[in-house]
Amino acid sequence: MTEFYGLPNTGEFWHWTNALHFVLVGLAGGMAFLAAILTLRQHPERKRYWWLAGILIALDLFVLWAESPARWRFSHIWLFFSFEPGAPIWWGAWGLSAAMAAVALLLLKQWVRLLERIPEGVLGVVMLLGSLVVLAYPGFALAVNTTRPLWNSMMLAIFPITALLMVLAIAILLGSTWAKRWEVWAAALSLGLLLAYPFTLQEAAREHLFREGLVGYALAGLLIAVAALLFRNPRWAAALGLAGAVGLRWLLVMVGQFQSPGL
Amino acid sequence: MARLGMLIDLSACVGCAACAVACKMENQVPAGANRLWIREREVGVFPDLTVEFRPEQCNHCENPPCVPVCPTGASYQTQDGLVQVDYNKCIACGACIAACPYDARYIDKKGGYADKCTFCSHRVAKGQQPACVETCPTYARIFGDLDDPNSEISKTLEAAGRQDVLRPDMGTRPKVIYLNAPSKKGLTQEVMES
Ligand code: SF4
Ligand code: SF4
């Protein structure tokens, strides 16, 4: 039997607000990625996606700041006055900023004479690079913690791919026909990862996942599976895939705050 | 430059938690958070029964996983090998908490920053001992420079029998070193229960 005087700080350190951010940052990065591709391909729908990307990035940055206990100390400025390449969150701060700057310039270009001469392609490339960083960093932010056995290297794949699943779903719901084909792929890949993931875990971690999150995990899997199969009805597929991806990301953030046994 | 560390002799520790209380008072640790706590575990069955009283705190790891993940540089390692938080830079993102294998860190909600054991650097700077060391009634704790061969800590370590650190497999190289673990198998682990 183990007893304590005082307690180790084992409680949840990332709360539902952080889980919300892990969803929003997927939407923000994914949408910026779509916007960047559409920009580089000179697609007629691109403007709408600039707006979407801009709003989602701003929303995520706002949530990040608003939920931080440090919000009124304005210490976040240090994210940009430091060089911390070992910190996924530092990369995320710069990636989101780069994508946001590109989006802002693309939108302003339409009205501000001075900016007219900046080529769209250059901003598209900046947005693309920023979005790739944003897509990648949440998975890294989890997987760097080798002491958290649920957050293994599968996070590096699950987070970017479910992000794409979410934004492609939104694109379908907004009537962008090009998104349909890719959505099926994103759903199929997400499903594959979701099925493989439990087999990649140490036993104690797998037990923890199933004890704490079996219902949620199964439900997310079911939603994504149906989404992958619903070729005939892309809108339903999109809605279900979106819900499944949101659920999966949320669950992994919350349930993964689990210390490896050994203390 | 020193390499500051701490020894805790588990053959002397009775788990009275005087150190934990001293820490609470000295550092005004907020309710619900702990910089130092005691884990008490029974191993074996009568007549081969052992109790391990194990104070735990930040190990000021030589290879601290909490430092590189900090996006603002708020978590850093001093030249003397202490792992500290620069409160002004901390954004309370919790990345360091996620990375620490020892549950040593918490968010000070009122201050809005991550915090943990500092090895009482404010006292050490004045030439005093950490509060937990000073208060320990069984003299189970020794603090000092592991790199100085003439320090009490180095001499004790040299002469010591069994030495252990928590989760050596994590590669963190803790500088809180436990001496004379009561169980023959060393420090107890969760899995050893039952
Ligand atoms: S015990 Fe935790 S907080 Fe302390 S230095 Fe090691 S990893 Fe960092
Ligand atoms: S909570 Fe503070 S010290 Fe910890 S990683 Fe975030 S910014 Fe750094």
Side-chain angles (χ1 to χ4, degrees):
Chain A
M1 209 173 61
T2 305
E3 285 180 280
F4 293 97
Y5 185 97
L7 281 174
N9 306 287
T10 46
E12 180 184 295
F13 47 90
W14 285 337
H15 313 293
W16 70 268
T17 45
N18 300 86
L20 174 67
H21 152 67
F22 272 88
V23 170
L24 282 176
V25 78
L27 292 172
M31 206 55 92
F33 177 76
L34 294 188
I37 300 284
L38 295 177
T39 305
L40 293 174
R41 306 193 67 169
Q42 292 285 302
H43 197 284
E45 283 180 18
R46 63 190 182 281
K47 255 182 219 159
R48 182 207 255 182
Y49 285 84
W50 296 344
W51 278 109
L52 279 170
I55 290 168
L56 285 167
I57 296 172
L59 187 63
D60 181 45
L61 289 174
F62 174 73
V63 166
L64 272 177
W65 170 80
E67 76 84 38
S68 166
R71 58 192 161 273
W72 298 121
R73 295 196 297 113
F74 302 105
S75 46
H76 288 77
I77 190 81
W78 287 103
L79 286 167
F80 304 102
F81 285 95
S82 59
F83 180 66
E84 297 292 339
I89 295 174
W90 180 83
W91 283 94
W94 282 98
L96 281 163
S97 305
M100 189 67 188
V103 168
L105 286 174
L106 280 165
L107 289 170
L108 285 174
K109 239 163 82 71
Q110 306 170 70
W111 304 297
V112 183
R113 266 270 172 82
L114 214 65
L115 302 174
E116 260 170 15
R117 263 186 270 151
I118 311 176
E120 224 178 271
V122 171
L123 294 175
V125 170
V126 173
M127 207 197 308
L128 182 67
L129 293 176
S131 73
L132 289 175
V133 171
V134 177
L135 282 173
Y137 96 87
F140 276 96
L142 301 179
V144 282
N145 306 300
T146 49
T147 190
R148 313 277 169 187
L150 277 169
W151 293 339
N152 64 11
S153 47
M154 289 291 277
M155 302 299 114
L156 306 182
I158 292 177
F159 276 81
I161 288 174
T162 53
L164 293 176
L165 176 58
M166 292 192 297
V167 291
L168 287 164
I170 292 175
I172 293 175
L173 294 172
L174 291 174
S176 293
T177 42
W178 47 263
K180 288 179 193 164
R181 185 162 37 123
W182 301 109
E183 167 79 353
V184 177
W185 277 106
L189 267 174
S190 299
L191 181 64
L193 289 167
L194 189 140
L195 290 174
Y197 173 60
F199 294 100
T200 66
L201 296 172
Q202 308 161 12
E203 204 181 310
R206 187 166 47 236
E207 270 171 25
H208 181 83
L209 172 68
F210 288 155
R211 193 171 54 241
E212 301 283 316
L214 184 60
V215 175
Y217 198 75
L219 193 64
L222 196 68
L223 289 173
I224 295 174
V226 176
L229 291 173
L230 270 186
F231 302 110
R232 291 272 170 76
N233 198 328
R235 280 176 171 270
W236 268 106
L240 298 181
L242 178 61
V246 169
L248 181 60
R249 294 171 78 96
W250 195 289
L251 183 120
L252 288 174
V253 171
M254 296 313 285
V255 178
Q257 299 179 47
F258 164 63
Q259 190 70 271
S260 57
L263 272 178
Chain B
M1 251 168 54
R3 195 163 64 95
L4 298 175
M6 195 176 286
L7 303 182
I8 304 180
D9 185 348
L10 296 188
S11 70
C13 178
V14 292
C16 68
C19 51
V21 175
C23 175
K24 268 263 172 189
M25 296 184 56
E26 174 71 27
N27 298 298
Q28 299 288 307
V29 182
N34 293 282
R35 291 188 183 191
L36 166 44
W37 59 94
I38 316 290
R39 197 184 296 259
E40 174 189 341
R41 218 178 248 144
E42 289 171 13
V43 190
V45 281
F46 180 83
D48 191 10
L49 185 66
T50 310
V51 183
E52 179 193 76
F53 295 107
R54 186 170 82 200
E56 291 179 16
Q57 64 200 83
C58 172
N59 291 286
H60 293 271
C61 306
E62 277 192 83
N63 185 17
C66 56
V67 168
V69 297
C70 176
T72 61
S75 275
Y76 67 103
Q77 220 169 358
T78 70
Q79 298 226 314
D80 290 335
L82 301 183
V83 174
Q84 305 291 31
V85 181
D86 178 344
Y87 305 136
N88 291 322
K89 289 186 180 176
C90 177
I91 59 169
C93 66
C96 53
I97 303 178
C100 173
Y102 304 101
D103 304 317
R105 288 177 173 247
Y106 56 87
I107 296 289
D108 183 312
K109 293 206 188 74
K110 207 157 133 237
Y113 46 72
D115 215 343
K116 62 171 193 65
C117 159
T118 60
F119 266 176
C120 280
S121 56
H122 61 294
R123 292 172 59 92
V124 174
K126 290 186 279 182
Q128 296 170 323
Q129 293 279 301
C132 57
V133 175
E134 193 172 274
T135 205
C136 179
T138 66
Y139 303 103
R141 290 172 175 263
I142 299 174
F143 174 78
D145 180 4
L146 290 159
D147 273 353
D148 173 2
N150 295 316
S151 64
E152 189 191 359
I153 191 171
S154 297
K155 286 183 185 156
T156 313
L157 196 58
E158 180 113 342
R162 186 167 183 123
Q163 306 174 13
D164 290 284
V165 294
L166 290 171
R167 291 179 190 251
D169 54 305
M170 284 287 159
T172 53
R173 295 167 61 205
K175 282 199 271 67
V176 170
I177 301 166
Y178 296 93
L179 302 184
N180 307 317
S183 164
K184 287 182 217 77
K185 293 183 191 157
L187 298 175
T188 61
Q189 286 188 16
E190 199 62 48
V191 286
M192 276 183 65
E193 283 182 66
S194 84

